[in-house]
Amino acid sequence: MPDSPQEEVDETGGPDLISFADMPARLEAAGLKKVSAQRCRQLAEEDPAWPVPIEKAMKVGRMRLFDWRVIEPYFRARTSRQGQRTDLHRPAE
């Protein structure tokens, strides 16, 4: 018998659901660059590489929940472009 609900989820293979508010701590615990909850939401809304479309995420009240096992590889593969403007696109020469 598992001691906590988290252990039960892991043993049954069920989803490890987290909200945008939980993502910064999870990223830090996984040894990844900490990203704010607001930035995570912005990535979910704007980045075409985000693994789960925001409109298809599980909704509980006003929160959107995502399976961490699906989201973590996205952040591992993501390259940070800190300070780079994304609104300027130079034509290829």
Side-chain angles (χ1 to χ4, degrees):
M1 181 93 181
D3 296 328
S4 71
Q6 180 62 42
E7 289 176 6
E8 183 177 327
V9 167
D10 291 343
E11 289 176 9
T12 62
D16 181 8
L17 299 176
I18 63 168
S19 67
F20 288 117
D22 300 327
M23 286 183 192
R26 278 292 183 100
L27 290 168
E28 194 170 40
L32 297 168
K33 183 178 185 289
K34 189 173 178 180
V35 178
S36 72
Q38 294 84 0
R39 180 66 176 139
C40 290
R41 179 180 258 302
Q42 182 182 28
L43 289 169
E45 291 173 347
E46 298 176 0
D47 189 350
W50 184 262
V52 180
I54 197 164
E55 62 275 356
K56 293 188 180 186
M58 181 183 292
K59 190 171 182 181
V60 178
R62 293 177 39 173
M63 290 189 315
R64 300 285 180 165
L65 300 177
F66 299 89
D67 186 347
W68 173 246
R69 293 176 294 183
V70 174
I71 299 299
E72 182 186 18
Y74 165 81
F75 281 104
R76 287 204 182 278
R78 184 174 172 269
T79 56
S80 176
R81 296 184 320 258
Q82 186 173 356
Q84 182 179 342
R85 290 184 61 173
T86 57
D87 60 338
L88 300 178
H89 298 281
R90 290 191 169 148
E93 293 182 25

